[in-house]
Structure formats: C-alpha cells, structure tokens
Amino acid sequence: MRQVMVAGNWKMNGSSESVKELIAGIKDGMASVTKAEVVVCPPAVYIPRVSGMADGSAIKVGSQNVCDEDKGAFTGEISADMLKDVGCEYAIVGHSERRALYGESDELVAKRFAAARRNGIKPIFCIGETLEEREAGVTNDVCARQIDAVIDLEGVAALADGVIAYEPVWAIGTGKVATPEQAQDVHAFIRGKIAALDAGVAEGLRILYGGSMNPGNAKELIGQADIDGGLIGGASLKAEDFLAICQVAE
Ligand code: PEP
C-alpha cells in the first residue's frame, strides 16, 4: 500500500508574515490528517523559518529546486547539503516552470535529481507534456523521455528514492484539470514503463498528480488506482484548502 502524499509548492509567493500564518494554519489542522504524508515547499529564503515552525509536527519541508553540483562557484544556486542543513527532506526537481522559463533540460534535471539523491534529499521529480504535445498525441513519449534521462544517469532503482509528479503543463495554474481518466491513463503508462524495467520499484513508487488540484477535485483524482497524491500549487497557499486536500486520504 503506497502512502498518499500531498505536497504544496508555494512558488514565489509570500512574505515573512504570510508564510508564518500559512504554516501555523496548516500545523493547527494537522490533527485531522492522519494518513497522508504532508510536505510544504516554501520559497528558499523562508525554509529555515518554516522548518522551525513545522518542527514537532508531521509536516515535512521541501525546496523548489536544488543545485546539480555539491559546492563551489555556482552563484545563486543552493546545494542539497544546505537544504538538508535547514531541515529539508524533499526537493522539487524539473518543475515545468523551471524547464520552460529557465531552460532546464532533461539532462540538467536528471543531474539535479542525482545531486539530491546522493545527499539524502528525496526528489519530487516533475514531468509532463505541454498542450501542443498532448494535441500531437505524444504525451506518453514526452513523459518517457523525461523519465529516461534520470534512468540513463542513475538507473531505474534510483526512482525508488523519490516520487514522480505528473503535471500536465496545460493544467498548471490554469484552472484546467486533467480528467481523472486522462490523469490515470498517464499514471498507468508511467508505472507500466517503470515496471517493464523493475516491477518492485514500479509497485512502490508514488506518482503524484499536479495541475489545478483543489478540494473539489482531489478526491476523485487521488481515488484513481495509480494516483498516489498531489503536488499542489495555488490551493496550497490557503491552509484550509491545502488541509482539505490532505484529508482526502482519511
Ligand atoms: C504546480 O505548480 O506544481 C501546480 C500543480 O500548480 P497549480 O496547482 O496551481 O496548478
């Protein structure tokens, strides 16, 4: 049985004050979340504060990215070791905004995945197709290519050290959600592809859905056989909505 995971990607939102309020609100509601693993990924500058406030609760903390190198002259980057030092257990890698806006290639994302892993940080490895790619009928090919970059670098067993987040780019921040069937089809494809290489890894691997998930659609999405939780953007910025999604697993 795979434990449901709900991860909030706060993106570049918040202030010292609002972040404090948000994490306090989530912490307050955690008594009613007994089944899901709950992770929040604040902007990097707020990670120490959020880690401190989450301490003693079941809330885990992740970063929104991680450097592919371990230390040195990489201005603006943050190493996996530093993230661990300030309380991160997870790191998002390959988010579509990083790929599209900052030119992160499949190969660079795979190197970031590897850096997280070798330093004991669990990658939340994002993949997914654009609208054009979906309309061209190449959704599965795109997801396979993105996953293969990690498998080629690290081997299939490495996937067991993190989670995959399938996030159709056209559904991120748009209010357009993949139907449960559309999402399930891709999740089943991903699991099947990995199972062809290692059935044990595929069976244990959590595959989250991301893309306009909210309290109204989470239950049906997470109810699908191969959807093991969600990576939540917009709805993770309101404690009440985020908690409602976490409670879907109860
Ligand atoms: C995301 O950015 O990972 C995401 C899923 O965003 P949203 O929930 O806002 O679509």
Side-chain angles (χ1 to χ4, degrees):
M1 211 23 199
R2 297 180 292 266
Q3 185 188 15
V4 167
M5 174 171 163
V6 179
N9 174 11
W10 296 358
K11 309 195 187 190
M12 197 172 73
N13 293 297
S15 62
S16 300
E17 221 23 64
S18 74
V19 157
K20 210 162 81 181
E21 215 174 285
L22 179 53
I23 191 67
I26 296 171
K27 205 173 162 180
D28 272 356
M30 282 301 285
S32 60
V33 179
T34 64
K35 297 220 163 66
E37 181 179 16
V38 176
V39 182
V40 296
C41 303
V45 290
Y46 298 128
I47 288 173
R49 166 173 295 222
V50 170
S51 292
M53 286 185 68
D55 204 28
S57 78
I59 303 166
K60 295 175 179 170
V61 180
S63 64
Q64 297 176 16
N65 207 353
V66 58
C67 188
D68 56 312
E69 300 285 347
D70 289 341
K71 67 183 286 197
F74 302 99
T75 302
E77 292 286 314
I78 302 173
S79 74
D81 219 27
M82 292 171 183
L83 293 171
K84 224 168 51 185
D85 190 32
V86 293
C88 285
E89 192 169 320
Y90 284 94
I92 295 173
V93 298
H95 190 279
S96 66
E97 287 153 15
R98 299 297 317 172
R99 293 178 188 264
L101 304 174
Y102 298 96
E104 293 192 11
S105 64
D106 293 342
E107 291 66 33
L108 176 58
V109 171
K111 283 166 77 183
R112 292 189 189 274
F113 182 108
R117 194 173 160 251
R118 75 175 165 266
N119 290 289
I121 293 269
K122 299 170 192 160
I124 300 173
F125 170 39
C126 299
I127 61 168
E129 83 288 1
T130 62
L131 184 58
E132 260 177 16
E133 289 164 339
R134 172 158 287 263
E135 287 174 349
V138 295
T139 295
N140 290 352
D141 299 335
V142 169
C143 292
R145 189 199 73 220
Q146 292 171 335
I147 294 170
D148 281 339
V150 167
I151 294 176
D152 289 350
L153 187 67
E154 292 284 276
V156 68
L159 294 172
D161 291 339
V163 302
I164 288 181
Y166 166 60
E167 300 206 298
V169 178
W170 48 272
I172 296 181
T174 59
K176 264 193 223 162
V177 195
T179 65
E181 295 72 29
Q182 279 176 323
Q184 166 59 24
D185 281 354
V186 182
H187 282 235
F189 165 76
I190 295 166
R191 201 177 304 285
K193 171 190 166 48
I194 296 166
L197 298 171
D198 189 319
V201 169
E203 183 53 32
L205 178 67
R206 290 181 293 178
I207 308 174
L208 316 183
Y209 168 80
S212 299
M213 192 184 272
N214 61 43
N217 59 32
K219 196 172 178 66
E220 211 186 343
L221 284 161
I222 295 177
Q224 302 298 307
D226 289 293
I227 302 184
D228 306 308
L231 179 56
I232 323 295
S236 71
L237 296 172
K238 270 199 194 152
E240 195 187 340
D241 287 355
F242 185 64
L243 286 162
I245 297 172
C246 297
Q247 283 157 2
V248 158
E250 298 300 311

